[in-house]
Amino acid sequence: MSRFATPRRIRFSDCDPAGIVFYPQYFVMFNGLLEDWVDGPLAIGFADLVSRRRIGLPTVRLEADFRAVSRFGDDVLLSLAVERLGGRSITLALRCESTDGELRMAVRQVLVTTSLETHQTIDVPADLRGAIERFAG
Amino acid sequence: MSRFATPRRIRFSDCDPAGIVFYPQYFVMFNGLLEDWVDGPLAIGFADLVSRRRIGLPTVRLEADFRAVSRFGDDVLLSLAVERLGGRSITLALRCESTDGELRMAVRQVLVTTSLETHQTIDVPADLRGAIERFAG
Amino acid sequence: MSRFATPRRIRFSDCDPAGIVFYPQYFVMFNGLLEDWVDGPLAIGFADLVSRRRIGLPTVRLEADFRAVSRFGDDVLLSLAVERLGGRSITLALRCESTDGELRMAVRQVLVTTSLETHQTIDVPADLRGAIERFAG
Amino acid sequence: MSRFATPRRIRFSDCDPAGIVFYPQYFVMFNGLLEDWVDGPLAIGFADLVSRRRIGLPTVRLEADFRAVSRFGDDVLLSLAVERLGGRSITLALRCESTDGELRMAVRQVLVTTSLETHQTIDVPADLRGAIERFAG
């Protein structure tokens, strides 16, 4: 299964008074990873998708397991794989690992494609579908 | 089952370019609800727990279902119930609903009590356990 | 000079690994105060202004002095006064104080009214202008 | 005057319902730039400074001018120069520009070095001072 990965240093602004990643911040990081994946390997243009084509990718289901803490200053690897591509949904398997391979947390996330005019689901656009199929191989 | 609920207006800063709640922000809101519950009905003092007693409440498992969007300016009700109280864990059932009762999203969240010195799990402190038992009734 | 004030407890999510408010978070809090002021005493409806009327209130100038730290769990008072009302701008004097009156930080903020279609400045709408004048007295 | 610069794409999570950068988010981005500068050219280790040495760099004064909006998907250049190095303070001149040189916003920020045990100011540590002097040239 193809994985898209980017390194990330845990920032001061990611962390809470306990000195570890404030957990909602993982989802902000993963949203950035999703953008980088759509902009990069998929070559679709995330901002163009949202701002010009008015297509959204809201989350409808999320399952997250937190295994070990990430501390301020840690270097981690964020990665993403496609678990399932449905007619109107994309299921991603996301991971945050330390650079020496310790799993910090893992997420299964189901996104749907929507019209940002109506917030109703629509079919995954053909170009996005094709790009995801080529990525997933 | 006792529920603790607080009203919340969806803020500009909660929302994304699609004009709806950026989903990680729900977890920030629910963390605020958790603090209000510990400070309020439980009367334990969340900041005292964390800052002085050095006890953390990190999340180890999260399942979220997003049913309908919340828009900037919406008035919602955030609520929390205790699903299970374990020796070292607390399972919460959280909900965000519109004021007329439409379910926007629901979360099942498992927290553990940890030492903030070691980030290892510890038993739920006796006063917190007692307060949760009295709340859950 | 009329001041609009609301109490606020400093939240876990407001704070950084130093256990104090992460300074950009003060501006998020003040944005919430601005919304409450427009929704409350001004009775204009902030979300309606932005979402339906497509009028923005971006910041063009900000001066902030940070005098004392605010810690996780602190109860503070956030307040706002109108320093100047121009043709296309509103200058606010914002303060964050502890409940016993210690000044934590103060901000002078110049907002302008813009069209959210063009992001160009527009005259302060008549109803907003009237409401601010009545508030400022 | 030496400047440290890093490119940054404006993310979905940086933007508000108006589709432009929510202004407090600029300060979060600049805090990341500061970390990258301390970690990179200064070679001091920001997380080590804060977490192990317990030295903070809180902001005491901030002046910001916002000249043009940054939109979701924009590629910008964030940069930093040292305006003044005092005994216990560092004054930075920060800029966000589009990649074709349009100034989006500029900040003058005064930081002080503090003990994170007492939150009192301390002298800028010798290694940090030396590194800043070498950088500023």
Side-chain angles (χ1 to χ4, degrees), chain B residues 11, chain C residues 4 29-39 42 46 57 80 92 94 109 111:
Chain B
R11 304 221 171 250
Chain C
F4 171 66
M29 290 188 224
F30 282 136
N31 212 69
L33 182 72
L34 174 69
E35 290 182 51
D36 289 345
W37 177 60
V38 173
D39 281 350
L42 299 196
F46 194 90
L57 282 171
L80 166 166
L92 301 177
L94 300 145
Q109 182 177 22
L111 306 165

Side-chain angles (χ1 to χ4, degrees), chain D residues 12-77:
Chain D
F12 194 71
S13 58
D14 295 324
C15 295
D16 62 25
I20 61 176
V21 172
F22 180 56
Y23 86 85
Q25 196 59 24
Y26 277 116
F27 304 118
V28 177
M29 290 188 223
F30 282 137
N31 212 68
L33 181 73
L34 174 70
E35 290 182 51
D36 289 346
W37 177 59
V38 173
D39 281 349
L42 299 196
I44 293 292
F46 194 89
D48 183 69
L49 193 74
V50 169
S51 303
R52 194 183 55 81
R53 297 168 65 182
R54 306 289 296 147
I55 296 171
L57 282 171
T59 299
V60 293
R61 171 80 182 164
L62 197 72
E63 295 160 27
D65 285 291
F66 301 83
R67 301 291 177 82
V69 298
S70 296
R71 287 180 172 80
F72 170 39
D74 281 4
D75 287 307
V76 297
L77 196 71

Side-chain angles (χ1 to χ4, degrees), chain C residues 1-4 37 41-42 80-85 90-92 128-137:
Chain C
M1 186 161 62
S2 303
R3 288 197 85 81
F4 171 66
W37 177 60
L42 299 196
L80 166 166
V82 180
E83 196 176 292
R84 184 176 175 275
L85 177 59
I90 305 161
T91 303
L92 301 177
L128 181 58
R129 168 174 300 281
I132 293 174
E133 287 170 346
R134 281 188 298 278
F135 172 81

Side-chain angles (χ1 to χ4, degrees), chain B residues 9-13 28 31-33 35-36 39 46-48 50-51 72-74, chain C residues 9-13 28 31-33 35-36 39 46-48 50-51 72-74:
Chain B
R9 182 162 290 179
I10 301 299
R11 304 221 171 250
F12 194 72
S13 60
V28 177
N31 211 70
L33 182 72
E35 290 182 50
D36 289 347
D39 281 350
F46 194 89
D48 183 69
V50 170
S51 303
F72 170 39
D74 281 2
Chain C
R9 181 161 293 179
I10 301 301
R11 302 222 173 249
F12 194 71
S13 60
V28 178
N31 212 69
L33 182 72
E35 290 182 51
D36 289 345
D39 281 350
F46 194 90
D48 183 69
V50 170
S51 303
F72 170 40
D74 282 2

Side-chain angles (χ1 to χ4, degrees), chain D residues 85-116:
Chain D
L85 177 59
R88 301 182 160 210
S89 70
I90 305 161
T91 303
L92 301 176
L94 300 145
R95 296 167 68 89
C96 173
E97 293 162 287
S98 67
T99 45
D100 57 358
E102 182 195 38
L103 181 62
R104 299 292 172 77
M105 56 91 72
V107 178
R108 191 170 167 275
Q109 182 177 22
V110 185
L111 306 165
V112 290
T113 37
T114 60
S115 156
L116 288 177

